[in-house]
Amino acid sequence: MTNSIVRKLPIGIQTFEKIREGNYVYVDKTEWVWRMASLETPFFLSRPRRFGKSLLLSTFEAYFKGRKDLFKGLAIERLEQDWIEYPVIHLDLNAKKFDTGEDLIRLVDRQLLVYEAIYGSSDADETIDDRLFTLLRLICEQTGKRVVVLVDEYDKPLLRSFHGYHDYPSQSQKANHEVLT
């Protein structure tokens, strides 16, 4: 019998931090994370369901928060020289079933409240998009840095609203589309 290190498979674990701290097997894609982040351009990542989007966003979140400790031994450790911490807004739209646009607004509202408690808000803002723009402005003013916005499960509200082709687009699809665009 050989002496080997047994590493666990990260079945059901979708956060980079848990995988790294739990010593789970991790396929190093951090060189691509670094390359994408270095371009300073917005990215829209469209990949099939269960294809690692949540884990990738979690990796980006750790990177932009400057969590150098989590990247020890990975490609990005040798590539990144500065490890600058940026403010991150991470919105997750996977929390519930969306039957109406109001359901989606409530979910985003609850998530924005967490960040507004830290950075502030404006009573003049009446809509979710107004609140988000104000929040981004306040974070920039307070930190002097650009804000990273990560939206996970962006497609969930639309996918959950499908009721069949006979009613396309359904009222809930129209409502969710209005909130998301």
Side-chain angles (χ1 to χ4, degrees):
M1 182 181 242
T2 63
N3 280 338
S4 62
I5 297 173
V6 177
R7 295 187 62 197
K8 308 170 274 188
L9 295 175
I11 307 297
I13 299 174
Q14 298 181 19
T15 62
F16 181 71
E17 181 177 12
K18 286 181 182 177
I19 288 173
R20 296 296 290 163
E21 289 179 347
N23 198 31
Y24 289 92
V25 172
Y26 175 74
V27 177
D28 186 4
K29 297 178 218 124
T30 60
E31 180 178 345
W32 294 103
V33 168
W34 183 82
R35 286 180 183 207
M36 290 169 65
S38 298
L39 294 175
E40 296 184 6
T41 349
F43 277 89
F44 174 77
L45 301 173
S46 177
R47 298 166 75 181
R49 296 204 54 73
R50 312 302 318 155
F51 205 73
K53 291 183 299 286
S54 294
L55 176 58
L56 182 60
L57 283 183
S58 176
T59 307
F60 272 113
E61 183 172 10
Y63 172 70
F64 283 116
K65 286 185 172 181
R67 294 288 314 272
K68 184 177 180 177
D69 58 305
L70 296 177
F71 294 92
K72 187 168 177 49
L74 300 177
I76 204 168
E77 181 183 35
R78 66 177 163 70
L79 295 168
E80 181 58 65
Q81 303 300 310
D82 300 325
W83 291 99
I84 298 169
E85 183 178 344
Y86 292 91
V88 175
I89 293 177
H90 189 161
L91 302 175
D92 186 355
L93 304 183
N94 191 32
K96 65 179 293 203
K97 183 178 178 187
F98 301 94
D99 292 323
T100 67
E102 289 78 28
D103 291 339
L104 179 56
I105 288 172
R106 274 194 297 279
L107 174 65
V108 174
D109 173 64
R110 284 194 305 269
Q111 293 184 44
L112 288 181
L113 285 170
V114 172
Y115 297 103
E116 288 171 335
I118 299 167
Y119 297 103
S121 62
S122 170
D123 293 334
D125 293 334
E126 296 181 11
T127 64
I128 291 290
D129 54 326
D130 289 342
R131 288 174 56 204
L132 179 59
F133 285 120
T134 297
L135 184 59
L136 293 172
R137 181 182 52 78
L138 290 171
I139 295 171
C140 284
E141 288 172 359
Q142 292 174 31
T143 65
K145 297 178 183 170
R146 294 170 66 184
V147 182
V148 176
V149 179
L150 303 172
V151 182
D152 199 6
E153 298 290 347
Y154 58 86
D155 58 337
K156 197 67 145 219
L158 292 174
L159 291 174
R160 287 195 173 173
S161 69
F162 285 126
H163 295 296
Y165 298 106
H166 66 282
D167 187 26
Y168 183 79
S170 70
Q171 287 303 107
S172 59
Q173 287 169 328
K174 288 177 188 175
N176 288 332
H177 183 267
E178 286 299 313
V179 172
L180 292 172
T181 57

